[in-house]
Amino acid sequence: MQLFAGIRGFSPSPATTAAVENMIEDIGLREKADSEAGALSGGQKRRLSVGMALIGDPQVIFLGISHRETALLYAFVWSSVTVGASTCLQM
């Protein structure tokens, strides 16, 4: 996630590290924070993808979420959208 934050324009700083750590906590991957993405389960990979989409407060987010993930991810995404200025579009 730190690498993706850099791609999104974050410069290496304590504030960037804090933003990444907060996102990891928010998406519920604290226990897997040091794992490689390939070692995550399918649901964990989806949560990681959502975290990567939300890092940096994007203006627009496109999501394709199945019915199984809807409840947890929507609750998190909508709470994130209401805090920031993002628009969420489900595909």
Side-chain angles (χ1 to χ4, degrees):
M1 180 113 31
Q2 190 79 28
L3 173 68
F4 200 81
I7 292 169
R8 295 293 304 263
F10 282 82
S11 59
S13 70
T16 299
T17 301
V20 169
E21 291 296 322
N22 287 339
M23 184 61 68
I24 290 170
E25 187 71 34
D26 289 345
I27 61 176
L29 290 178
R30 170 62 47 220
E31 71 282 355
K32 297 289 187 176
D34 295 325
S35 300
E36 293 184 13
L40 301 176
S41 71
Q44 291 168 334
K45 287 177 183 177
R46 284 185 287 277
R47 286 188 275 152
L48 177 62
S49 294
V50 169
M52 291 185 327
L54 291 173
I55 198 91
D57 297 324
Q59 292 181 0
V60 177
I61 304 164
F62 294 94
L63 296 174
I65 299 176
S66 73
H67 295 291
R68 290 183 302 156
E69 300 123 12
T70 305
L72 291 176
L73 287 179
Y74 273 166
F76 173 69
V77 169
W78 286 117
S79 68
S80 297
V81 169
T82 57
V83 170
S86 300
T87 300
C88 183
L89 303 172
Q90 181 182 356
M91 304 305 287

